[in-house]
Each structure stands twice: as C-alpha cells, then as structure tokens.
C-alpha cells in the first residue's frame, strides 16, 4: 500500500512538472520510468472501485505471444470506430469483430480502437515499444496526450487508482451449462456444410458454451490462471464497461508488423495431446502426415499468400511445425513478407481478416453460410484484436476466448469442416479446445 502511494505521489509530481514545460493540454506523451509493478493485481485492484471511478474505464490488459510487451491501460483520450493510422508516439489498442455486418455484442462494436490515457508497460529490449537505448527490460508509466486532454485529467486518474489486490484461486461452483448449437444441431450443421462442398471446400463452424456459476466471476483471476496454463499465447482482456469483459488466451497470430517487415502464420489442423510422451509424439506425427489436415492448412496458406501478394508484398514461407498447447496441438506454417511503403494496417486487416482458419474458403460464401446457420452471434470471438503504433503493430486472432459478465461466462470454440469431417469427432475437438479454461473453472 505504502509503495503504491509513493508511486502515485511521484507520478503526480512528474505530471505537474511536465505541465510547466508543455502547458495544461500537452501534445506529446510523458514517459516515466518506474519500479516493477504487478499488472494483473493492479487491474484487479480496480474491480472494487466505486462508480465515481469510471474514469478508469476502459481498462485493457495486453501481452504479446513472445511476452516482450505487457501493457495495462486505463481511460481513453480517443475512441474510434475505424482503423487508425498511428503517428509519432500514439498507441491504439482494439479490434474488429468476426464480421463487420450485423448486430454485435453490447459494448463491442464491429470496429473499435482506443488510445489510452494511461499505460503501465513492461517491455523487453526486443520490443519496439522500448524507445530508449537501454538493452535491459523497462517498466514505464506513459501518459498519452494529443492536445485535447488535460494534465489535470491525468492527475485525477492517478489519484483514482486503487492499490494492487492479490490474485485468488477460482472457487465458484458451476450451476448450469448451455451449448449453442447443441450436439444434435451441430451434427445437422456439419452435414449441411459437407453438402455444400462444391461451393465451400472449407467452412469453420463454432459453438458458444455458456456457463453459469453461484457467485461473481473475477476476470483478472481467470486471466492469471489461463496465462499460467498456456504461457506461449497472446493474453488480453478488454473491459469497456462494468457489464462485460472480453478475455482471450489465443495461440494464433493474425500478423505482426515491424516497419515494413511482416510475420504471420497458417494455423489450422488440430489433434489432442497424448497421455504420455510416446502417444504425444505419435499424435504429433499424425498431425504432420494427415492429408485432411494438410489440405485444411493449405487453404489457409493459400489465402494469406494470395492476399499479401495483392498488396504487392514479397512473400515466403517456412516448413510446417507443430505448436503444442496444454490440451491440443496445431499444425503451423510460418509466413513472412516484405511490405511496400504504401501498405497500411487497415489494408492488412481488411485483406487478412478473417482467415480461412476461422471462417472458411472461399471467404464470402463461408461467411454467409456462418451468418445464415450458426445460432448465436460471434461478436469479437474469432475477430482480430491487437495494438497499432507507427513502428509496430501486432494482432491476434481472438480464438480461445470468452465473454465474462457477473456470474456468467461464454466460451467459444470452432472446427474446420471439410470433406471427410465427422460431426462427433469435430464436437469432441470443440471440447478439447476449451478444456484448459473448463479445468480452470472447475466446469463440467
């Protein structure tokens, strides 16, 4: 408590000094080097804040797949419903829904990007967020200014922050589960998708699993447990109101851009993890040698490469490898591209999202089939979520994700349906994909 109060005092003093040099409405950011700060406990500490502290919203947690950048942000100086073009030291956090058409979730529009007011960040030397010459890790508090928000507002948000609160084990008991579609409806959907094989070589069907518990859920505790179970993934939480939080522990990158150098991947094809090392290796080899899985992954590769070439990028790819998670393993083909100077993040997002790994191919007929036949609204599930700055952008495909509200959580999972798919096996794949979070929640 005392240490956090000292930090607040230092940051207020820094802001007051900054305003003497740059005025009450600065046009440049203030970056303050700080001691290490537990970011998830800090975010949890705000869950007990009074409604008067709504200036802290939106609150966002973001950690990239390599864990070189971890951010906790509070408030907003810009809220955009379009894809921004960042300049100078602007940073935007946000995402796109799975489909831009149709009604989206409450709080989560089709496109939303936020330039935060305050960001606490932990950055490694390999991250372009590190704007110093220091090669070691950095802890920083960054106050964003654009000439319209005051130093006084930044001081207010610092004073409104509550101290970090210890993370807790999950103790609530599940009282209800509802799957949409249910298993019978799923079998009918798979059969219908296969009937369309001439028009749809692949369509990704998905399921929403809604769990209700006997007590309130804490998003930050869940995120910490999920992060611990699957460390080699993107981890993020978007809490845009006191009603809902979108949370994800996604293994899949849509793309990462550094200057004009882009990296992406075709991540499609799934098998279980084995019960022991020998079985695990046999399953891994089956993933590499299965013709159905190879075809499924190739459709994703083909889509990504073709769309990057439409942007006049020079594209290359590497041999397939297997990405192993706690309960499943995926076939992954790394892809790199050299972009032209004219290519913008909006071009990349509109071209690459959604990929056949979450939608299907051809893209438009697959999206129409999903829109016509899935019995729930995907919203930001299978969307593109990430961050944009002038030098760097990084986007995750929002799979392994959930929507949390009060004592309720909705989990999402999908499976690629191609010729040869068997409904019962694909249903089991959906359960395998949410098994990690089901285990964390003690759910059935």
């Amino acid at each position: 408590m005392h240490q956090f109060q000292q930090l607040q005092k230092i940051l207020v003093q820094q802001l007051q000094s900054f305003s003497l040099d740059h005025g009450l409405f600065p046009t440049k950011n203030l970056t303050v080097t700080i001691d290490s700060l537990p970011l998830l406990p800090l975010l949890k500490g705000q869950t007990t804040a009074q409604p008067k502290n709504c200036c802290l919203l939106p609150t966002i947690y973001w950690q990239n797949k390599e864990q070189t950048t971890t951010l906790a942000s509070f408030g907003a100086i810009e809220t955009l419903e379009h894809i921004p073009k960042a300049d100078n030291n602007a940073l935007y956090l946000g995402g796109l829904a799975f489909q831009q058409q149709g009604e989206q979730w409450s709080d989560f529009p089709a496109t939303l990007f936020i330039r935060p007011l305050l960001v606490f960040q932990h950055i490694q030397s390999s991250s372009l967020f590190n704007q110093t010459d220091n090669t070691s890790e950095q802890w920083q508090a960054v106050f964003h200014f654009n000439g319209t928000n005051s130093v006084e507002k930044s001081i207010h948000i610092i004073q409104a922050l509550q101290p970090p609160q210890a993370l807790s084990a999950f103790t609530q008991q599940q009282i209800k589960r509802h799957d949409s579609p249910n298993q019978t409806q799923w079998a009918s959907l798979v059969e219908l998708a296969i009937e369309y094989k001439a028009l749809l070589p692949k369509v990704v069907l998905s399921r929403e699993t809604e769990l209700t518990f006997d007590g309130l859920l804490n998003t930050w505790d869940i995120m910490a447990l999920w992060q611990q179970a699957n460390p080699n993934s993107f981890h993020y939480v978007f809490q845009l109101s006191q009603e809902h939080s979108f949370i994800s522990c996604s293994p899949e990158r849509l793309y990462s851009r550094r200057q004009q150098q882009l990296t992406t991947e075709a991540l499609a094809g799934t098998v279980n993890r084995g019960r022991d090392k020998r079985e695990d290796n046999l399953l891994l080899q089956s993933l590499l040698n299965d013709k159905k899985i190879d075809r499924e992954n190739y459709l994703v590769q083909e889509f990504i490469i073709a769309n990057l070439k439409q942007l006049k990028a020079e594209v290359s790819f590497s041999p397939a490898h297997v990405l192993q998670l706690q309960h499943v393993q995926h076939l992954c083909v790394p892809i790199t591209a050299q972009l032209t100077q004219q290519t913008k993040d909006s071009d990349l997002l509109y071209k690459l999202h959604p990929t056949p790994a979450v939608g299907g191919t051809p893209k438009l007929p697959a999206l129409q089939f999903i829109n016509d036949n899935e019995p729930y609204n995907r919203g930001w599930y299978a969307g593109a979520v990430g961050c944009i700055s002038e030098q760097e952008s990084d986007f995750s495909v929002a799979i392994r994700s959930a929507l949390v509200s009060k004592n309720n959580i909705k989990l999402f999972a999908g499976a690629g349906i191609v010729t040869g798919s068997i409904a019962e096996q694909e249903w089991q794949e959906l359960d395998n994909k949410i098994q990690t979070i089901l285990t964390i929640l003690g759910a059935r």
Side-chain angles (χ1 to χ4, degrees):
M1 171 77 78
H2 176 71
Q3 186 178 4
F4 186 72
Q5 289 173 339
Q6 283 296 108
L7 173 62
Q8 288 175 302
K9 184 178 178 181
I10 290 168
L11 293 177
V12 168
Q13 290 172 345
Q14 290 281 342
L15 283 163
Q16 290 169 337
S17 298
F18 186 71
S19 68
L20 293 176
D21 294 329
H22 300 280
L24 297 177
F25 292 85
T27 57
K28 61 178 291 186
N29 296 349
L30 168 64
T31 301
V32 181
T33 300
I34 61 173
D35 292 332
S36 62
L37 185 65
L39 296 182
L40 283 173
L42 175 65
L43 288 157
K44 183 180 178 181
Q46 313 320 309
T47 59
T48 57
Q50 299 299 313
K52 66 179 181 180
N53 287 344
C54 62
C55 65
L56 299 175
L57 292 171
T59 53
I60 299 170
Y61 178 77
W62 166 267
Q63 184 178 72
N64 67 352
K65 196 172 179 178
E66 294 74 24
Q67 300 177 39
T68 57
T69 300
T70 309
L71 311 174
S73 80
F74 299 92
I77 64 171
E78 291 180 56
T79 301
L80 308 174
E81 293 197 6
H82 63 268
I83 301 167
K85 186 179 186 303
D87 53 18
N88 298 323
N89 290 320
L91 165 70
Y92 294 91
L93 299 165
L96 285 69
F98 171 70
Q99 284 191 265
Q100 296 295 290
Q101 292 77 33
E103 184 183 348
Q104 305 300 334
W105 297 341
S106 172
D107 300 339
F108 292 89
T111 303
L112 180 70
F113 283 90
I114 290 158
R115 184 174 180 188
L117 188 152
L118 168 62
V119 180
F120 291 102
Q121 57 189 34
H122 180 209
I123 52 178
Q124 308 288 345
S125 57
S126 59
S127 170
L128 284 178
F129 284 90
N130 186 356
Q131 309 208 354
T132 71
D133 294 327
N134 196 324
T135 56
S136 62
E137 63 180 359
Q138 292 279 308
W139 284 90
Q140 298 172 335
V142 183
F143 297 91
H144 285 255
F145 294 100
N146 61 3
T148 64
N149 60 302
S150 67
V151 171
E152 184 181 353
K153 188 174 180 181
S154 295
I155 290 174
H156 177 64
I157 207 169
I158 284 294
Q159 293 172 336
L161 285 173
Q162 302 299 306
Q165 186 176 329
L167 299 167
S168 306
F170 190 87
T171 57
Q172 287 77 8
Q173 297 296 311
Q174 178 194 339
I175 57 176
K176 188 167 65 174
R177 169 173 171 163
H178 175 72
D179 290 312
S180 180
N182 61 32
Q183 192 164 3
T184 302
Q185 293 167 330
W186 173 261
S188 299
L189 275 178
V190 171
E191 184 179 342
L192 182 62
I194 292 172
E195 285 179 14
Y196 278 75
K197 63 183 178 182
L199 297 173
L200 282 177
K202 174 184 177 180
V203 62
V204 179
L205 298 178
S206 70
R207 183 185 74 194
E208 174 188 271
T209 297
E210 183 174 4
L211 305 176
T212 305
F213 292 85
D214 62 358
L216 295 177
L217 306 180
N218 189 284
T219 304
W220 312 107
D221 288 334
I222 296 171
M223 179 77 266
L225 293 166
W226 208 353
Q227 187 177 59
Q228 186 177 7
N230 271 334
N232 300 318
S233 298
F234 290 92
H235 308 111
Y236 45 93
V237 179
F238 279 70
Q239 184 180 12
L240 306 180
S241 75
Q242 294 180 340
E243 301 303 316
H244 305 99
S245 297
F246 181 66
I247 177 172
S248 178
C249 182
S250 172
E252 185 172 357
R253 169 169 273 130
L254 182 65
Y255 75 85
S256 175
R257 175 189 61 81
R258 290 191 168 207
Q259 307 280 18
Q260 306 312 120
Q261 185 66 36
L262 178 136
T263 58
T264 181
E265 61 197 13
L267 190 77
T270 306
V271 297
N272 293 347
R273 294 299 303 268
R275 289 167 293 184
D276 53 41
K277 190 173 181 179
R278 178 178 175 277
E279 185 182 42
D280 203 37
N281 190 56
L282 287 172
L283 288 166
L284 184 150
Q285 293 302 320
S286 75
L287 189 62
L288 290 169
N289 298 321
D290 188 294
K291 290 183 178 179
K292 171 183 168 289
I293 286 174
D294 182 65
R295 173 64 178 163
E296 185 181 347
N297 191 282
Y298 177 74
L299 291 171
V300 180
Q301 295 174 49
E302 190 177 45
F303 169 86
I304 293 171
I305 291 170
N307 279 278
L308 287 172
K309 286 184 174 179
Q310 286 179 20
L311 295 173
K312 299 183 169 36
E314 297 177 13
V315 187
S316 59
F317 60 94
S318 303
H321 69 272
V322 175
L323 174 65
Q324 293 186 313
L325 302 173
Q326 189 175 40
H327 290 285
V328 294
Q329 39 195 341
H330 301 291
L331 187 64
C332 180
V333 174
I335 298 169
T336 59
Q338 183 66 39
L339 305 172
T340 68
Q341 291 289 338
Q342 291 72 38
T343 305
K344 303 186 292 293
D345 284 296
S346 56
D347 300 326
L348 294 167
L349 287 167
Y350 287 134
K351 281 291 185 184
L352 297 180
H353 167 70
T355 74
V358 292
T361 185
K363 179 176 178 177
L364 294 180
L367 296 182
Q368 190 62 52
F369 184 91
I370 291 166
N371 192 60
D372 291 345
N373 293 285
E374 280 192 348
Y376 78 100
N377 187 344
R378 289 194 186 187
W380 274 31
Y381 160 61
V385 176
C387 54
I388 295 176
S389 68
E390 185 175 31
Q391 304 296 326
E392 176 181 37
S393 57
D394 200 3
F395 279 86
S396 157
V397 180
I399 57 174
R400 309 299 188 276
S401 55
L403 186 66
V404 185
S405 58
K406 297 183 180 178
N407 67 331
N408 180 278
I409 185 168
K410 295 177 179 178
L411 311 175
F412 308 100
I417 307 303
V418 296
T419 301
S421 292
I422 299 170
E424 188 174 350
Q425 292 177 1
E426 303 297 346
W427 180 266
Q428 184 59 52
E429 181 177 315
L430 302 180
D431 276 341
N432 294 338
K433 285 177 175 177
I434 63 170
Q435 188 56 53
T436 299
I437 187 65
L438 285 177
T439 302
I440 288 168
L441 300 173
R444 298 180 295 278

